[in-house]
PDB file of all heavy atoms in Angstrom:
ATOM      1  N   HIS A 122      83.266 -38.188-133.461  1.00  0.00           N
ATOM      2  CA  HIS A 122      82.594 -37.229-134.279  1.00  0.00           C
ATOM      3  C   HIS A 122      83.454 -36.279-134.961  1.00  0.00           C
ATOM      4  O   HIS A 122      83.146 -35.171-135.420  1.00  0.00           O
ATOM      5  CB  HIS A 122      81.667 -36.368-133.569  1.00  0.00           C
ATOM      6  CG  HIS A 122      80.702 -37.211-132.638  1.00  0.00           C
ATOM      7  ND1 HIS A 122      79.794 -38.184-133.165  1.00  0.00           N
ATOM      8  CD2 HIS A 122      80.519 -37.438-131.136  1.00  0.00           C
ATOM      9  CE1 HIS A 122      79.166 -38.781-132.163  1.00  0.00           C
ATOM     10  NE2 HIS A 122      79.589 -38.345-131.094  1.00  0.00           N
ATOM     11  N   CYS A 123      84.867 -36.484-134.943  1.00  0.00           N
ATOM     12  CA  CYS A 123      85.875 -35.641-135.486  1.00  0.00           C
ATOM     13  C   CYS A 123      87.234 -36.301-135.593  1.00  0.00           C
ATOM     14  O   CYS A 123      87.430 -37.320-135.046  1.00  0.00           O
ATOM     15  CB  CYS A 123      86.071 -34.305-134.550  1.00  0.00           C
ATOM     16  SG  CYS A 123      86.720 -34.727-132.955  1.00  0.00           S
ATOM     17  N   GLY A 124      87.979 -35.634-136.498  1.00  0.00           N
ATOM     18  CA  GLY A 124      89.405 -36.317-136.636  1.00  0.00           C
ATOM     19  C   GLY A 124      90.307 -35.781-135.503  1.00  0.00           C
ATOM     20  O   GLY A 124      91.040 -36.626-135.061  1.00  0.00           O
ATOM     21  N   ASN A 125      90.144 -34.670-135.006  1.00  0.00           N
ATOM     22  CA  ASN A 125      90.854 -34.081-133.885  1.00  0.00           C
ATOM     23  C   ASN A 125      89.818 -33.188-133.013  1.00  0.00           C
ATOM     24  O   ASN A 125      89.035 -32.560-133.648  1.00  0.00           O
ATOM     25  CB  ASN A 125      92.018 -33.165-134.244  1.00  0.00           C
ATOM     26  CG  ASN A 125      92.990 -33.844-135.013  1.00  0.00           C
ATOM     27  OD1 ASN A 125      93.226 -33.558-136.261  1.00  0.00           O
ATOM     28  ND2 ASN A 125      93.816 -34.640-134.527  1.00  0.00           N
ATOM     29  N   TYR A 126      90.060 -33.268-131.788  1.00  0.00           N
ATOM     30  CA  TYR A 126      89.412 -32.215-130.791  1.00  0.00           C
ATOM     31  C   TYR A 126      90.468 -31.268-130.319  1.00  0.00           C
ATOM     32  O   TYR A 126      91.733 -31.542-130.567  1.00  0.00           O
ATOM     33  CB  TYR A 126      88.629 -32.888-129.717  1.00  0.00           C
ATOM     34  CG  TYR A 126      89.437 -33.791-128.845  1.00  0.00           C
ATOM     35  CD1 TYR A 126      90.223 -33.195-127.809  1.00  0.00           C
ATOM     36  CD2 TYR A 126      89.525 -35.067-129.024  1.00  0.00           C
ATOM     37  CE1 TYR A 126      90.970 -34.068-126.976  1.00  0.00           C
ATOM     38  CE2 TYR A 126      90.253 -35.969-128.238  1.00  0.00           C
ATOM     39  CZ  TYR A 126      90.950 -35.320-127.093  1.00  0.00           C
ATOM     40  OH  TYR A 126      91.684 -36.301-126.353  1.00  0.00           O
ATOM     41  N   TRP A 127      90.075 -30.081-129.880  1.00  0.00           N
ATOM     42  CA  TRP A 127      91.036 -29.145-129.304  1.00  0.00           C
ATOM     43  C   TRP A 127      90.496 -28.478-128.025  1.00  0.00           C
ATOM     44  O   TRP A 127      89.391 -28.738-127.716  1.00  0.00           O
ATOM     45  CB  TRP A 127      91.558 -28.100-130.344  1.00  0.00           C
ATOM     46  CG  TRP A 127      90.452 -27.412-131.175  1.00  0.00           C
ATOM     47  CD1 TRP A 127      89.154 -27.561-131.051  1.00  0.00           C
ATOM     48  CD2 TRP A 127      90.817 -26.583-132.175  1.00  0.00           C
ATOM     49  NE1 TRP A 127      88.477 -26.819-131.988  1.00  0.00           N
ATOM     50  CE2 TRP A 127      89.430 -26.085-132.771  1.00  0.00           C
ATOM     51  CE3 TRP A 127      91.869 -25.984-132.800  1.00  0.00           C
ATOM     52  CZ2 TRP A 127      89.447 -25.214-133.777  1.00  0.00           C
ATOM     53  CZ3 TRP A 127      91.768 -25.048-133.776  1.00  0.00           C
ATOM     54  CH2 TRP A 127      90.584 -24.669-134.339  1.00  0.00           C
ATOM     55  N   MET A 128      91.260 -27.693-127.379  1.00  0.00           N
ATOM     56  CA  MET A 128      90.870 -27.087-126.133  1.00  0.00           C
ATOM     57  C   MET A 128      89.962 -25.873-126.601  1.00  0.00           C
ATOM     58  O   MET A 128      90.247 -25.125-127.504  1.00  0.00           O
ATOM     59  CB  MET A 128      91.985 -26.567-125.430  1.00  0.00           C
ATOM     60  CG  MET A 128      91.624 -26.177-124.029  1.00  0.00           C
ATOM     61  SD  MET A 128      92.937 -25.470-123.025  1.00  0.00           S
ATOM     62  CE  MET A 128      92.999 -23.824-123.678  1.00  0.00           C
ATOM     63  N   SER A 129      88.838 -25.796-125.993  1.00  0.00           N
ATOM     64  CA  SER A 129      87.915 -24.534-126.253  1.00  0.00           C
ATOM     65  C   SER A 129      88.273 -23.495-125.431  1.00  0.00           C
ATOM     66  O   SER A 129      88.204 -22.305-125.864  1.00  0.00           O
ATOM     67  CB  SER A 129      86.444 -25.051-126.130  1.00  0.00           C
ATOM     68  OG  SER A 129      85.598 -23.987-126.450  1.00  0.00           O
ATOM     69  N   GLN A 130      88.625 -23.765-124.124  1.00  0.00           N
ATOM     70  CA  GLN A 130      88.809 -22.586-123.201  1.00  0.00           C
ATOM     71  C   GLN A 130      89.473 -23.113-122.033  1.00  0.00           C
ATOM     72  O   GLN A 130      89.210 -24.324-121.645  1.00  0.00           O
ATOM     73  CB  GLN A 130      87.525 -21.952-122.907  1.00  0.00           C
ATOM     74  CG  GLN A 130      87.601 -20.690-122.048  1.00  0.00           C
ATOM     75  CD  GLN A 130      86.241 -20.320-121.774  1.00  0.00           C
ATOM     76  OE1 GLN A 130      85.431 -21.197-121.282  1.00  0.00           O
ATOM     77  NE2 GLN A 130      85.841 -19.041-121.781  1.00  0.00           N
ATOM     78  N   SER A 131      90.320 -22.307-121.296  1.00  0.00           N
ATOM     79  CA  SER A 131      90.763 -22.716-119.977  1.00  0.00           C
ATOM     80  C   SER A 131      90.605 -21.450-119.234  1.00  0.00           C
ATOM     81  O   SER A 131      90.928 -20.280-119.645  1.00  0.00           O
ATOM     82  CB  SER A 131      92.245 -23.029-120.003  1.00  0.00           C
ATOM     83  OG  SER A 131      93.019 -22.002-120.466  1.00  0.00           O
ATOM     84  N   GLU A 132      90.147 -21.461-118.029  1.00  0.00           N
ATOM     85  CA  GLU A 132      90.034 -20.316-117.155  1.00  0.00           C
ATOM     86  C   GLU A 132      89.831 -20.544-115.682  1.00  0.00           C
ATOM     87  O   GLU A 132      89.407 -21.683-115.379  1.00  0.00           O
ATOM     88  CB  GLU A 132      88.849 -19.433-117.567  1.00  0.00           C
ATOM     89  CG  GLU A 132      87.544 -19.998-117.448  1.00  0.00           C
ATOM     90  CD  GLU A 132      86.360 -18.977-117.879  1.00  0.00           C
ATOM     91  OE1 GLU A 132      86.668 -17.971-118.301  1.00  0.00           O
ATOM     92  OE2 GLU A 132      85.198 -19.397-117.741  1.00  0.00           O
ATOM     93  N   THR A 133      90.301 -19.601-114.858  1.00  0.00           N
ATOM     94  CA  THR A 133      89.927 -19.675-113.470  1.00  0.00           C
ATOM     95  C   THR A 133      88.505 -19.271-113.343  1.00  0.00           C
ATOM     96  O   THR A 133      88.010 -18.377-114.161  1.00  0.00           O
ATOM     97  CB  THR A 133      90.651 -18.747-112.542  1.00  0.00           C
ATOM     98  OG1 THR A 133      90.453 -17.438-112.958  1.00  0.00           O
ATOM     99  CG2 THR A 133      92.190 -19.108-112.725  1.00  0.00           C
ATOM    100  N   ILE A 134      87.630 -19.719-112.485  1.00  0.00           N
ATOM    101  CA  ILE A 134      86.363 -19.246-112.031  1.00  0.00           C
ATOM    102  C   ILE A 134      86.313 -19.089-110.529  1.00  0.00           C
ATOM    103  O   ILE A 134      85.960 -20.114-109.858  1.00  0.00           O
ATOM    104  CB  ILE A 134      85.149 -19.987-112.555  1.00  0.00           C
ATOM    105  CG1 ILE A 134      85.340 -20.391-114.091  1.00  0.00           C
ATOM    106  CG2 ILE A 134      83.818 -19.387-112.481  1.00  0.00           C
ATOM    107  CD1 ILE A 134      84.158 -21.316-114.655  1.00  0.00           C
ATOM    108  N   TYR A 135      86.714 -17.993-110.057  1.00  0.00           N
ATOM    109  CA  TYR A 135      86.877 -17.705-108.683  1.00  0.00           C
ATOM    110  C   TYR A 135      85.678 -16.843-108.259  1.00  0.00           C
ATOM    111  O   TYR A 135      85.609 -15.675-108.624  1.00  0.00           O
ATOM    112  CB  TYR A 135      88.215 -17.046-108.372  1.00  0.00           C
ATOM    113  CG  TYR A 135      89.408 -17.952-108.291  1.00  0.00           C
ATOM    114  CD1 TYR A 135      89.508 -19.220-108.851  1.00  0.00           C
ATOM    115  CD2 TYR A 135      90.548 -17.444-107.696  1.00  0.00           C
ATOM    116  CE1 TYR A 135      90.485 -19.881-109.026  1.00  0.00           C
ATOM    117  CE2 TYR A 135      91.749 -18.239-107.759  1.00  0.00           C
ATOM    118  CZ  TYR A 135      91.670 -19.539-108.341  1.00  0.00           C
ATOM    119  OH  TYR A 135      92.751 -20.396-108.219  1.00  0.00           O
ATOM    120  N   ILE A 136      84.705 -17.345-107.611  1.00  0.00           N
ATOM    121  CA  ILE A 136      83.449 -16.629-107.267  1.00  0.00           C
ATOM    122  C   ILE A 136      83.622 -16.141-105.803  1.00  0.00           C
ATOM    123  O   ILE A 136      83.793 -16.918-104.809  1.00  0.00           O
ATOM    124  CB  ILE A 136      82.293 -17.652-107.306  1.00  0.00           C
ATOM    125  CG1 ILE A 136      82.219 -18.427-108.637  1.00  0.00           C
ATOM    126  CG2 ILE A 136      81.002 -17.042-106.929  1.00  0.00           C
ATOM    127  CD1 ILE A 136      81.039 -19.320-108.892  1.00  0.00           C
ATOM    128  N   ALA A 137      83.398 -14.825-105.592  1.00  0.00           N
ATOM    129  CA  ALA A 137      83.650 -14.148-104.329  1.00  0.00           C
ATOM    130  C   ALA A 137      82.199 -14.074-103.675  1.00  0.00           C
ATOM    131  O   ALA A 137      81.278 -14.167-104.366  1.00  0.00           O
ATOM    132  CB  ALA A 137      84.191 -12.736-104.646  1.00  0.00           C
ATOM    133  N   PRO A 138      82.423 -13.954-102.348  1.00  0.00           N
ATOM    134  CA  PRO A 138      81.135 -13.669-101.482  1.00  0.00           C
ATOM    135  C   PRO A 138      80.125 -12.635-102.254  1.00  0.00           C
ATOM    136  O   PRO A 138      80.643 -11.637-102.605  1.00  0.00           O
ATOM    137  CB  PRO A 138      81.727 -13.278-100.158  1.00  0.00           C
ATOM    138  CG  PRO A 138      82.926 -13.840-100.111  1.00  0.00           C
ATOM    139  CD  PRO A 138      83.503 -13.772-101.482  1.00  0.00           C
ATOM    140  N   GLY A 139      78.928 -13.071-102.136  1.00  0.00           N
ATOM    141  CA  GLY A 139      77.870 -11.975-102.698  1.00  0.00           C
ATOM    142  C   GLY A 139      77.568 -12.222-104.146  1.00  0.00           C
ATOM    143  O   GLY A 139      76.598 -11.700-104.722  1.00  0.00           O
ATOM    144  N   ASN A 140      78.418 -13.223-104.848  1.00  0.00           N
ATOM    145  CA  ASN A 140      77.990 -13.326-106.230  1.00  0.00           C
ATOM    146  C   ASN A 140      76.804 -14.200-106.216  1.00  0.00           C
ATOM    147  O   ASN A 140      76.776 -15.339-105.736  1.00  0.00           O
ATOM    148  CB  ASN A 140      79.149 -13.975-106.931  1.00  0.00           C
ATOM    149  CG  ASN A 140      79.085 -13.830-108.397  1.00  0.00           C
ATOM    150  OD1 ASN A 140      79.977 -13.131-109.037  1.00  0.00           O
ATOM    151  ND2 ASN A 140      78.196 -14.592-109.067  1.00  0.00           N
TER     152      ASN A 140
END
Side-chain angles (χ1 to χ4, degrees):
H122 312 298
C123 62
N125 298 112
Y126 57 87
W127 51 1
M128 193 182 82
S129 177
Q130 190 186 41
S131 63
E132 67 177 2
T133 63
I134 310 181
Y135 282 19
I136 304 178
N140 201 106

